[in-house]
Amino acid sequence: MQRRVRTRAIAVVSALGLTGVLGGCGLGGGSSDVTLKLVAADYGDSESNSSEKYWQDLVDRYEAEHPDVKIDVDVYSWNDVDRKVKEMVDAGEAPDLAQIGAYADYAAEGQLYKAGDLLSIPVQADFLSQLTTAGEVNSVQYGMPFASSTRVLFYNKTLFDEAGITPPKTWDELAADAEALKAEGVKYPYALPLGPEEAQAESMQWMLGGEGGYTDITGTYSIDSAANVETFGWLKSELVGKGLTGPVAPGELDRADAFEAFAAGQVGMLNGHPSLMETAKAKGVKFGMVPTPGAEGESKATLGVADWMMAFNENGHRDEIGDFLDFVYSEDNVLAFSREYNLLPVTVSASRTMAASEQDKDLKPFLDQLATSELYPVGNTSWAAVNAAVKKEIGKAVAPNGSPAGVLGGLQAAATRAEAAG
């Protein structure tokens, strides 16, 4: 198999908060009756575990059984992949398949196949229900989940033992633990990353703990709901205002920096996803993981995040695309990808296997949260604009002179405008 490789070492973050570094790697070669073009994101953090290797193996196996179909794959870093796909689509050269961070804009423009027109019934039915729903636009599934993750509360066991405290189940207990950690000189008793990198994730996790969220049960934006205003009021007065979130203002603290500080033993508690386990282990940090606290008890829901596969209809090839996707979403392939990158399976069959496997016990706390997780409103074409506004503004809600009601009200207005424009 011939290979062409283009590489740029730029570290970036996906919707899952994972880092990828490769600029672009093309996989494919030979001749065949049909060639499918797939553009995919890189989930690795070095060339040694680039997603190029995952796709190389998968394509080799598929093509061995389907000599009349060639799969040509380009793997790009998260810094480049969404832009690359957009440029291809705008130039009238859409790939057959794209595995990227968002699908709704393309679906709204009529550029995607429906999942039901591609996948066999057993494969489509195997997606976890909340991920299927998140992949829908106007109740029709276009986005096929490819990778998922949830959040739990990480805590530093050594720092907790020194402070004589136990993991919190409620916000009040979290604040009390943070006070005890501060008294012991911990730099970041609770790390609250509301900086522009991934503020939307930390914000939604706290909103869910206060029984709020970005939208209400009808899917309408409710960013300035009474529950959300109360949540950010509590954060401002009980954590930030009491100096329990460390020396960096939350609006200036990025998730990657918070994770790095946790791995350096400087953070008592923070919300994290599976990749933090490996980072902390590598630095010798003894840590525990518990469900995220809520206002009155353990949060009834945690943040779920997914990245997406989509199929463009510009080139046809519906049958070939569907057959390849059935292979991609086989249990063995889903498990192999999830295990390689410490992610959660997007299918029921692979989730059951992982839950019962000793090999995957480290991921069990995250897997346990998946069934009750809630995702961003990615089916709304307005979400990209709302997401950008949240990243830019929401840290101001907990600033010394900030107004939670004012900042959330401004974001609600921005969301309303984005909805109208879409």
Side-chain angles (χ1 to χ4, degrees), residues 93-108:
E93 300 173 352
D96 297 284
L97 291 155
Q99 187 273 299
I100 53 178
Y103 67 87
D105 285 351
Y106 299 121

Side-chain angles (χ1 to χ4, degrees), residues 191-208:
L192 182 66
L194 296 178
E197 178 198 345
E198 206 185 28
Q200 82 284 1
E202 183 73 10
S203 297
M204 184 166 173
Q205 188 62 67
W206 281 96
M207 289 175 180
L208 291 172

Side-chain angles (χ1 to χ4, degrees), residues 72-84:
D72 187 10
V73 186
D74 277 345
V75 177
Y76 292 99
S77 76
W78 278 103
N79 191 58
D80 297 322
V81 67
D82 288 279
R83 174 176 55 81
K84 285 287 186 181

Side-chain angles (χ1 to χ4, degrees), residues 178 187-192 235 239-250 253:
K187 187 173 182 180
Y188 294 90
Y190 179 86
L192 182 66
L235 285 171
L239 286 187
V240 182
K242 293 182 178 179
L244 302 179
T245 55
V248 180
L253 181 65

Side-chain angles (χ1 to χ4, degrees), residues 14-16 38-43 55 74 76-78 80-86 88-89 95 97-106 112 143-147 306-312 329:
S14 77
L16 299 178
L38 165 62
V39 177
D42 189 14
Y43 289 81
W55 287 111
D74 277 345
Y76 292 99
S77 76
W78 278 103
D80 297 322
V81 67
D82 288 279
R83 174 176 55 81
K84 285 287 186 181
V85 171
K86 185 177 187 304
M88 294 172 72
V89 173
L97 291 155
Q99 187 273 299
I100 53 178
Y103 67 87
D105 285 351
Y106 299 121
L112 302 181
M144 293 162 278
F146 185 76
D307 294 329
W308 302 94
M309 178 74 77
M310 62 213 69
F312 288 89
Y329 284 107

Side-chain angles (χ1 to χ4, degrees), residues 42-381:
D42 189 14
Y43 289 81
D45 56 14
S46 66
E47 288 194 30
S48 65
N49 72 341
S50 165
S51 295
E52 174 194 357
K53 293 187 175 181
Y54 173 80
W55 287 111
Q56 184 79 61
D57 172 71
L58 188 148
V59 166
D60 285 348
R61 290 185 285 114
Y62 184 79
E63 290 183 345
E65 297 178 5
H66 302 81
D68 57 338
V69 178
K70 169 190 167 187
I71 311 297
D72 187 10
V73 186
D74 277 345
V75 177
Y76 292 99
S77 76
W78 278 103
N79 191 58
D80 297 322
V81 67
D82 288 279
R83 174 176 55 81
K84 285 287 186 181
V85 171
K86 185 177 187 304
E87 289 173 353
M88 294 172 72
V89 173
D90 289 347
E93 300 173 352
D96 297 284
L97 291 155
Q99 187 273 299
I100 53 178
Y103 67 87
D105 285 351
Y106 299 121
E109 293 296 323
Q111 296 170 318
L112 302 181
Y113 282 116
K114 301 173 184 177
D117 290 341
L118 299 168
L119 302 171
S120 65
I121 293 174
V123 170
Q124 187 178 14
D126 198 27
F127 289 131
L128 292 162
S129 60
Q130 69 271 39
L131 298 180
T132 295
T133 300
E136 294 177 348
V137 174
N138 295 326
S139 300
V140 176
Q141 184 183 6
Y142 295 92
M144 293 162 278
F146 185 76
S148 67
S149 178
T150 59
R151 301 294 196 267
V152 298
L153 183 75
F154 282 72
Y155 67 97
N156 184 309
K157 286 186 173 181
T158 301
L159 297 180
F160 266 58
D161 288 344
E162 291 172 353
I165 54 178
T166 57
K169 294 183 179 180
T170 68
W171 288 356
D172 287 344
E173 290 176 3
L174 185 148
D177 283 351
E179 288 276 13
L181 291 164
K182 180 182 179 182
E184 291 292 320
V186 175
K187 187 173 182 180
Y188 294 90
Y190 179 86
L192 182 66
L194 296 178
E197 178 198 345
E198 206 185 28
Q200 82 284 1
E202 183 73 10
S203 297
M204 184 166 173
Q205 188 62 67
W206 281 96
M207 289 175 180
L208 291 172
E211 300 191 3
Y214 288 116
T215 59
D216 60 24
I217 59 174
T218 69
T220 303
Y221 285 109
S222 57
I223 300 173
D224 63 347
S225 68
N228 289 342
V229 171
E230 186 174 349
T231 292
F232 277 85
W234 187 91
L235 285 171
K236 183 176 185 291
S237 63
E238 301 302 317
L239 286 187
V240 182
K242 293 182 178 179
L244 302 179
T245 55
V248 180
E252 298 174 6
L253 181 65
D254 282 338
R255 191 271 318 160
D257 295 331
F259 278 20
E260 183 178 347
F262 186 84
Q266 299 173 337
V267 175
M269 301 172 280
L270 84 171
N271 287 322
H273 54 60
S275 71
L276 182 56
M277 294 190 299
E278 298 305 315
T279 305
K281 287 176 184 177
K283 296 291 185 178
V285 173
K286 295 180 180 179
F287 63 90
M289 299 178 293
V290 295
T292 53
E296 303 296 334
E298 291 181 2
S299 181
K300 295 179 181 178
T302 189
L303 170 65
V305 182
D307 294 329
W308 302 94
M309 178 74 77
M310 62 213 69
F312 288 89
N313 54 29
E314 181 176 309
N315 305 316
H317 303 151
R318 186 184 73 175
D319 291 343
E320 291 84 0
I321 292 171
D323 188 73
F324 177 63
L325 287 176
D326 277 357
F327 182 74
V328 168
Y329 284 107
S330 69
E331 181 179 333
D332 287 346
N333 287 330
V334 171
L335 281 171
F337 181 85
S338 302
R339 286 167 170 165
E340 176 67 26
Y341 299 106
N342 283 316
L343 294 168
L344 302 181
V346 297
T347 62
V348 174
S349 58
S351 295
R352 287 174 177 166
T353 298
M354 181 174 280
S357 172
E358 181 68 16
Q359 173 184 348
D360 303 304
K361 63 181 181 180
D362 287 349
L363 286 170
K364 192 173 188 305
F366 301 94
L367 195 60
D368 288 345
Q369 299 295 309
L370 190 56
T372 58
S373 64
E374 294 190 19
L375 283 78
Y376 304 125
V378 291
N380 294 353
T381 57

